[in-house]
Short mmCIF file of all heavy atoms in Angstrom, two decimals:
data_model
loop_
_atom_site.label_atom_id
_atom_site.label_comp_id
_atom_site.label_asym_id
_atom_site.label_seq_id
_atom_site.Cartn_x
_atom_site.Cartn_y
_atom_site.Cartn_z
N GLN A 5 15.88 -18.10 38.52
CA GLN A 5 14.87 -18.87 39.21
C GLN A 5 15.09 -20.42 38.87
O GLN A 5 15.31 -20.82 37.79
CB GLN A 5 13.55 -18.46 38.78
CG GLN A 5 13.20 -17.11 39.30
CD GLN A 5 13.06 -16.98 40.71
OE1 GLN A 5 12.31 -17.67 41.41
NE2 GLN A 5 13.91 -16.09 41.23
N LEU A 72 14.81 -7.51 43.61
CA LEU A 72 15.40 -8.83 43.29
C LEU A 72 14.65 -9.92 43.96
O LEU A 72 14.06 -9.82 45.08
CB LEU A 72 16.85 -8.93 43.82
CG LEU A 72 17.80 -7.91 43.32
CD1 LEU A 72 19.13 -7.85 44.10
CD2 LEU A 72 18.18 -8.21 41.88
N TRP A 73 14.56 -11.10 43.32
CA TRP A 73 13.95 -12.41 43.92
C TRP A 73 15.16 -13.29 44.21
O TRP A 73 16.12 -13.38 43.59
CB TRP A 73 13.01 -13.06 42.92
CG TRP A 73 11.82 -12.36 42.67
CD1 TRP A 73 11.09 -11.46 43.35
CD2 TRP A 73 10.89 -12.67 41.48
NE1 TRP A 73 9.88 -11.07 42.89
CE2 TRP A 73 9.71 -11.81 41.72
CE3 TRP A 73 10.94 -13.44 40.43
CZ2 TRP A 73 8.65 -11.83 40.78
CZ3 TRP A 73 9.85 -13.51 39.54
CH2 TRP A 73 8.77 -12.65 39.80
N MET A 74 14.90 -14.04 45.38
CA MET A 74 15.69 -15.25 45.68
C MET A 74 15.58 -16.25 44.56
O MET A 74 14.42 -16.37 43.96
CB MET A 74 15.36 -15.87 46.98
CG MET A 74 15.42 -14.90 48.16
SD MET A 74 17.07 -14.71 48.67
CE MET A 74 16.86 -13.91 50.23
N PRO A 75 16.57 -17.06 44.32
CA PRO A 75 16.44 -18.07 43.20
C PRO A 75 15.33 -19.06 43.38
O PRO A 75 14.83 -19.64 42.31
CB PRO A 75 17.80 -18.76 43.24
CG PRO A 75 18.70 -17.79 43.88
CD PRO A 75 17.86 -17.07 44.86
N ASP A 76 14.83 -19.33 44.60
CA ASP A 76 13.70 -20.26 44.73
C ASP A 76 12.40 -19.70 45.08
O ASP A 76 11.45 -20.32 45.50
CB ASP A 76 14.16 -21.27 45.90
CG ASP A 76 14.41 -20.52 47.17
OD1 ASP A 76 14.45 -19.31 47.24
OD2 ASP A 76 14.61 -21.24 48.21
N LYS A 77 12.24 -18.30 44.81
CA LYS A 77 10.96 -17.67 45.11
C LYS A 77 9.81 -18.26 44.50
O LYS A 77 8.80 -18.66 45.06
CB LYS A 77 11.11 -16.17 44.88
CG LYS A 77 9.81 -15.44 45.21
CD LYS A 77 9.58 -14.16 44.38
CE LYS A 77 8.39 -13.37 44.85
NZ LYS A 77 7.16 -13.96 44.55
N LEU A 78 9.93 -18.35 43.08
CA LEU A 78 8.76 -18.86 42.33
C LEU A 78 8.39 -20.33 42.68
O LEU A 78 7.34 -20.65 42.91
CB LEU A 78 9.02 -18.67 40.83
CG LEU A 78 9.12 -17.30 40.30
CD1 LEU A 78 9.34 -17.29 38.80
CD2 LEU A 78 7.69 -16.47 40.58
N LYS A 80 9.01 -22.05 45.43
CA LYS A 80 8.47 -22.26 46.81
C LYS A 80 7.09 -21.76 46.82
O LYS A 80 6.14 -22.23 47.44
CB LYS A 80 9.36 -21.49 47.86
CG LYS A 80 10.55 -22.30 48.21
CD LYS A 80 11.24 -21.57 49.33
CE LYS A 80 12.43 -22.45 49.74
NZ LYS A 80 13.20 -21.84 50.94
N GLN A 81 6.87 -20.50 46.21
CA GLN A 81 5.58 -19.80 46.33
C GLN A 81 4.48 -20.57 45.53
O GLN A 81 3.38 -20.69 45.98
CB GLN A 81 5.73 -18.35 46.03
CG GLN A 81 4.64 -17.51 46.51
CD GLN A 81 4.98 -15.98 46.44
OE1 GLN A 81 6.08 -15.74 46.05
NE2 GLN A 81 4.07 -15.19 46.73
N TYR A 94 1.78 -14.09 49.37
CA TYR A 94 2.81 -13.15 49.55
C TYR A 94 3.88 -13.67 50.43
O TYR A 94 3.62 -14.69 51.10
CB TYR A 94 2.30 -11.84 50.06
CG TYR A 94 1.50 -12.03 51.37
CD1 TYR A 94 2.05 -11.74 52.57
CD2 TYR A 94 0.20 -12.43 51.34
CE1 TYR A 94 1.43 -11.97 53.79
CE2 TYR A 94 -0.56 -12.60 52.54
CZ TYR A 94 0.06 -12.35 53.75
OH TYR A 94 -0.59 -12.57 54.95
N THR A 95 5.10 -13.01 50.49
CA THR A 95 6.15 -13.57 51.30
C THR A 95 6.81 -12.46 52.12
O THR A 95 6.59 -11.29 51.88
CB THR A 95 7.22 -14.23 50.50
OG1 THR A 95 7.99 -13.34 49.92
CG2 THR A 95 6.70 -15.24 49.45
N GLY A 96 7.65 -12.86 53.15
CA GLY A 96 8.56 -11.89 53.75
C GLY A 96 9.56 -11.49 52.76
O GLY A 96 9.72 -12.01 51.61
N TYR A 97 10.40 -10.38 53.18
CA TYR A 97 11.42 -9.91 52.28
C TYR A 97 12.44 -9.10 53.08
O TYR A 97 12.12 -8.77 54.22
CB TYR A 97 10.80 -9.12 51.16
CG TYR A 97 10.04 -7.87 51.52
CD1 TYR A 97 10.63 -6.63 51.54
CD2 TYR A 97 8.70 -8.03 51.81
CE1 TYR A 97 9.78 -5.58 51.86
CE2 TYR A 97 7.93 -6.95 52.12
CZ TYR A 97 8.48 -5.70 52.20
OH TYR A 97 7.76 -4.52 52.55
N TYR A 98 13.60 -8.91 52.39
CA TYR A 98 14.53 -8.01 52.96
C TYR A 98 14.44 -6.65 52.34
O TYR A 98 14.21 -6.55 51.14
CB TYR A 98 16.01 -8.54 52.67
CG TYR A 98 16.32 -9.83 53.41
CD1 TYR A 98 16.52 -10.96 52.68
CD2 TYR A 98 16.45 -9.85 54.79
CE1 TYR A 98 16.86 -12.14 53.32
CE2 TYR A 98 16.80 -11.02 55.48
CZ TYR A 98 17.09 -12.16 54.69
OH TYR A 98 17.36 -13.33 55.36
N ARG A 99 14.68 -5.66 53.18
CA ARG A 99 14.83 -4.29 52.63
C ARG A 99 16.35 -4.01 52.53
O ARG A 99 17.01 -4.32 53.53
CB ARG A 99 14.11 -3.23 53.54
CG ARG A 99 12.67 -3.35 53.47
CD ARG A 99 11.84 -2.27 54.28
NE ARG A 99 12.64 -1.61 55.37
CZ ARG A 99 12.73 -0.32 55.44
NH1 ARG A 99 12.11 0.53 54.66
NH2 ARG A 99 13.47 0.23 56.42
N ILE A 100 16.75 -3.46 51.37
CA ILE A 100 18.20 -3.35 51.28
C ILE A 100 18.50 -1.87 50.88
O ILE A 100 17.70 -1.19 50.26
CB ILE A 100 18.76 -4.30 50.09
CG1 ILE A 100 18.13 -4.06 48.78
CG2 ILE A 100 18.71 -5.71 50.55
CD1 ILE A 100 18.83 -4.82 47.64
N VAL A 107 21.67 -5.30 53.65
CA VAL A 107 20.37 -5.52 54.23
C VAL A 107 20.13 -4.57 55.42
O VAL A 107 21.00 -4.34 56.30
CB VAL A 107 20.24 -6.98 54.72
CG1 VAL A 107 19.02 -7.14 55.62
CG2 VAL A 107 20.25 -7.95 53.62
N ASP A 109 16.83 -4.43 56.98
CA ASP A 109 16.06 -5.23 57.92
C ASP A 109 15.24 -6.31 57.22
O ASP A 109 15.30 -6.33 55.94
CB ASP A 109 15.10 -4.33 58.77
CG ASP A 109 14.10 -3.46 57.91
OD1 ASP A 109 13.98 -3.62 56.66
OD2 ASP A 109 13.42 -2.62 58.51
N GLN A 110 14.57 -7.09 57.92
CA GLN A 110 13.82 -8.16 57.38
C GLN A 110 12.37 -7.86 57.70
O GLN A 110 11.99 -7.56 58.85
CB GLN A 110 14.15 -9.49 58.01
CG GLN A 110 13.34 -10.71 57.37
CD GLN A 110 13.78 -12.03 57.93
OE1 GLN A 110 14.87 -12.21 58.44
NE2 GLN A 110 12.82 -12.99 57.87
N ILE A 111 11.42 -7.89 56.69
CA ILE A 111 10.10 -7.73 56.91
C ILE A 111 9.40 -9.08 57.12
O ILE A 111 9.43 -9.94 56.21
CB ILE A 111 9.42 -7.01 55.72
CG1 ILE A 111 10.19 -5.72 55.34
CG2 ILE A 111 8.04 -6.76 55.85
CD1 ILE A 111 10.20 -4.68 56.51
N HIS A 112 8.75 -9.25 58.30
CA HIS A 112 8.04 -10.37 58.62
C HIS A 112 6.56 -10.17 58.28
O HIS A 112 6.01 -9.02 58.41
CB HIS A 112 8.20 -10.78 60.10
CG HIS A 112 9.59 -11.25 60.49
ND1 HIS A 112 10.01 -12.56 60.25
CD2 HIS A 112 10.67 -10.58 60.92
CE1 HIS A 112 11.19 -12.64 60.55
NE2 HIS A 112 11.73 -11.49 61.00
N ILE A 113 5.86 -11.17 57.95
CA ILE A 113 4.45 -11.03 57.55
C ILE A 113 3.59 -12.09 58.27
O ILE A 113 4.04 -13.19 58.67
CB ILE A 113 4.23 -11.12 56.02
CG1 ILE A 113 5.03 -12.35 55.41
CG2 ILE A 113 4.89 -9.92 55.36
CD1 ILE A 113 4.22 -13.56 55.27
N LEU A 131 6.63 -6.81 45.32
CA LEU A 131 7.63 -7.83 44.81
C LEU A 131 7.44 -9.21 45.29
O LEU A 131 8.07 -10.11 44.84
CB LEU A 131 8.98 -7.28 45.04
CG LEU A 131 9.52 -7.42 46.49
CD1 LEU A 131 11.08 -7.31 46.47
CD2 LEU A 131 8.92 -6.38 47.43
N THR A 132 6.59 -9.39 46.27
CA THR A 132 6.39 -10.74 46.92
C THR A 132 5.08 -11.45 46.41
O THR A 132 4.92 -12.58 46.68
CB THR A 132 6.44 -10.70 48.43
OG1 THR A 132 5.20 -10.22 48.92
CG2 THR A 132 7.65 -9.89 48.92
N GLY A 169 0.36 -15.92 53.47
CA GLY A 169 1.80 -15.54 53.44
C GLY A 169 2.66 -16.69 53.84
O GLY A 169 2.32 -17.52 54.61
N ILE A 170 3.90 -16.58 53.27
CA ILE A 170 5.01 -17.37 53.74
C ILE A 170 5.98 -16.46 54.43
O ILE A 170 6.61 -15.54 53.83
CB ILE A 170 5.64 -18.02 52.47
CG1 ILE A 170 4.68 -18.86 51.67
CG2 ILE A 170 6.89 -18.81 52.90
CD1 ILE A 170 5.28 -19.27 50.33
N ASP A 171 6.14 -16.58 55.72
CA ASP A 171 7.03 -15.74 56.45
C ASP A 171 8.52 -16.12 56.38
O ASP A 171 9.16 -16.49 57.31
CB ASP A 171 6.62 -15.60 57.93
CG ASP A 171 7.31 -14.49 58.64
OD1 ASP A 171 7.82 -13.58 58.05
OD2 ASP A 171 7.36 -14.61 59.96
N GLU A 172 8.95 -16.07 55.12
CA GLU A 172 10.33 -16.41 54.78
C GLU A 172 10.76 -15.23 53.70
O GLU A 172 9.96 -14.98 52.82
CB GLU A 172 10.41 -17.68 54.18
CG GLU A 172 11.82 -18.12 53.71
CD GLU A 172 11.89 -19.45 53.07
OE1 GLU A 172 10.93 -20.23 53.17
OE2 GLU A 172 12.90 -19.73 52.46
N PRO A 173 11.92 -14.66 53.89
CA PRO A 173 12.31 -13.67 52.92
C PRO A 173 12.67 -14.31 51.67
O PRO A 173 13.72 -14.96 51.59
CB PRO A 173 13.48 -12.96 53.61
CG PRO A 173 14.07 -13.98 54.55
CD PRO A 173 12.87 -14.84 55.03
N LEU A 174 11.91 -13.99 50.62
CA LEU A 174 12.17 -14.62 49.21
C LEU A 174 12.40 -13.52 48.22
O LEU A 174 12.50 -13.76 47.03
CB LEU A 174 10.94 -15.44 48.82
CG LEU A 174 10.77 -16.73 49.63
CD1 LEU A 174 9.53 -17.52 49.16
CD2 LEU A 174 12.00 -17.59 49.63
N ALA A 175 12.65 -12.29 48.77
CA ALA A 175 12.93 -11.15 47.79
C ALA A 175 13.71 -10.06 48.62
O ALA A 175 13.75 -10.06 49.78
CB ALA A 175 11.60 -10.62 47.28
N TYR A 176 14.26 -9.15 47.71
CA TYR A 176 15.01 -8.02 48.27
C TYR A 176 14.35 -6.73 47.64
O TYR A 176 14.28 -6.61 46.43
CB TYR A 176 16.44 -8.01 47.79
CG TYR A 176 17.24 -9.06 48.35
CD1 TYR A 176 17.49 -10.27 47.67
CD2 TYR A 176 17.89 -8.96 49.64
CE1 TYR A 176 18.26 -11.26 48.15
CE2 TYR A 176 18.68 -9.97 50.11
CZ TYR A 176 18.85 -11.11 49.41
OH TYR A 176 19.61 -12.14 49.95
N TYR A 177 13.89 -5.87 48.55
CA TYR A 177 13.22 -4.62 48.16
C TYR A 177 14.34 -3.48 48.33
O TYR A 177 14.76 -3.26 49.47
CB TYR A 177 11.97 -4.28 49.04
CG TYR A 177 11.44 -2.95 48.77
CD1 TYR A 177 10.72 -2.67 47.68
CD2 TYR A 177 11.70 -1.85 49.64
CE1 TYR A 177 10.16 -1.35 47.44
CE2 TYR A 177 11.19 -0.61 49.42
CZ TYR A 177 10.39 -0.35 48.32
OH TYR A 177 9.99 0.92 48.06
#
Side-chain angles (χ1 to χ4, degrees):
Q5 291 298 300
L72 303 163
W73 286 343
M74 300 282 193
D76 58 352
K77 181 204 186 291
L78 292 178
K80 281 186 175 181
Q81 201 165 353
Y94 54 97
T95 75
Y97 59 97
Y98 292 114
R99 291 181 342 125
I100 60 173
V107 172
D109 58 11
Q110 180 179 339
I111 304 302
H112 291 278
I113 49 93
L131 73 162
T132 75
I170 302 170
D171 191 20
E172 177 183 346
L174 294 178
Y176 293 96
Y177 174 79

